[in-house]
Amino acid sequence: MSISDSFKSFLSNIAVNNHETIELRYGEITCALNQEFRATQSKTANTLQVGSYGRWTAIKGISDLDMLYIMPVSAWNTYKDGGQYKLLSKVCEAIKARYPKTDVHVDGLVVRVLYADFHIEVQPVFEESDGSFTYPHTANGGSWKTTKPRLEMKAMTESEQQKNRNLRRLCKMARAWKNKHGVAMGGLLIDTLAHNFLKATSTYDETSYAAYDEMVRDFFAFLKDEPEKDYYAALGSGQRVKVKKKFQAKAKKAFELCETAIAARGQAGAHKKWRKVFGRAYPAPNTEIAKAFKSEGGHFARDTEQFIEDLFPVDIRYDLRIDCEVSQKGFRTIRLLEMLAKRFPLLVSKDLTFEIVRNDVPDGHIIYWKVLNRGPEAIRKDIVRGQIVPDTGQRQRSETTSFRGDHVVECYAVLNGVVVATDRIHVPIET
């Protein structure tokens, strides 16, 4: 396929595919709250969809919807003096009456509604004359905060018109990248950075899909060169958007992968290089054999590899890092990442202990592991592996260096049925 057709297909593959479920649940919650606070049963009035879904930058795998419920002005006197938790509790009770078997609870500044397949975060607000909203926060005894999502949505729409509809598409592709590579970036930060990038250049004001390979390359170049900051001013509203983790190093790697993919334009296998950037949603030729590996010697191996996006929605929000302890009787123990940095060879007959060395995912998550063997020997021996298995409770994975190949170990954190953090480590075994 041409670059234009490939990126069209890619964006189609990552499009949100659960609109009906989202709108159904959104409407029913809206109805429950309108019945509680206004004695009506409207499924559309007095609410606003915000966040990535509201800005139309969400992608397939979106795990939740952020919604505002606009309270009646007459209710302000009831809650204004220290009634933050009281308001959230009232909203919680109204939703729980509609969904008595669903986990509905107050969480800081929102009411979380945890369905089996989707989550909604409801924030009750009071609308101000300038279009902003005042919302309750329960921390430190309670306070009232301000949010301005309409300004963010307006900025997104205006930039879409000025930039030939390229902004939302760039935001979506950036989300596919962050999910593929475990980059802990919030949706508003991604949208703000994409907005800032396109605002700073006129190169892509008139272009479209045929230039998306160069546009994403230049976007990652923009990201890698960004100075380290604790926060950004959100598009439109100017409100602070926190930077959870540094993204420059992974953006630099993405830029290099894009350079390699662009250099391979028109060549067989070019799509594989783009898949290293964005994952399996980037299209592959129909001529590829779906369920077989072939070695140079003519050997075939069963394709037993599983993919986490086939098992759970993926929406990376937190930071997870793994490392590996390499040991052998009679030798000192060393970390794999240290070995790779010093270019020490990893030989056979070593014991490997993979472990989580950093994890900021909230309590209640489940860890999964994947060990994938790659290279001619894995194919010849028919032990590609690649199955995704739950952690045994130790938050470790023990392996041995049995044969040569550039093997891969991946780790996933699943919270409320959604992959929210991931990391991978290459294991280049030599002989």
Side-chain angles (χ1 to χ4, degrees), residues 65-132:
L65 167 69
D66 300 321
M67 66 174 279
L68 306 184
Y69 179 74
I70 305 171
M71 294 291 296
V73 175
S74 59
W76 174 245
N77 288 334
T78 302
Y79 301 104
K80 66 178 182 179
D81 296 323
Q84 291 86 1
Y85 186 78
K86 180 180 177 182
L87 172 56
L88 288 163
S89 297
K90 193 69 173 178
V91 169
C92 181
E93 291 168 6
I95 298 172
K96 203 159 186 62
R98 171 63 183 86
Y99 294 107
K101 296 182 179 180
T102 300
D103 182 0
V104 184
H105 64 272
V106 175
D107 186 3
L109 49 87
V110 298
V111 175
R112 302 197 69 203
V113 187
L114 304 181
Y115 305 104
D117 57 348
F118 193 75
H119 313 146
I120 294 182
E121 295 187 354
V122 184
Q123 189 172 69
V125 297
F126 291 93
E127 186 170 8
E128 305 298 335
S129 58
D130 62 357
S132 65

Side-chain angles (χ1 to χ4, degrees), residues 17 89 97 117 208 230 302 310 320 341 343 354 375 394:
N17 62 341
S89 297
D117 57 348
S208 190
D230 293 328
R302 293 167 296 168
D310 294 336
L320 175 72
R343 300 185 182 277
F354 298 91
Q394 302 298 315

Side-chain angles (χ1 to χ4, degrees), residues 248-269:
Q248 286 81 355
K250 290 193 174 183
K252 181 177 183 293
K253 179 63 176 178
F255 167 76
E256 294 168 351
L257 291 172
C258 289
E259 287 272 74
T260 302
I262 290 172
R265 182 188 292 176
Q267 300 176 16

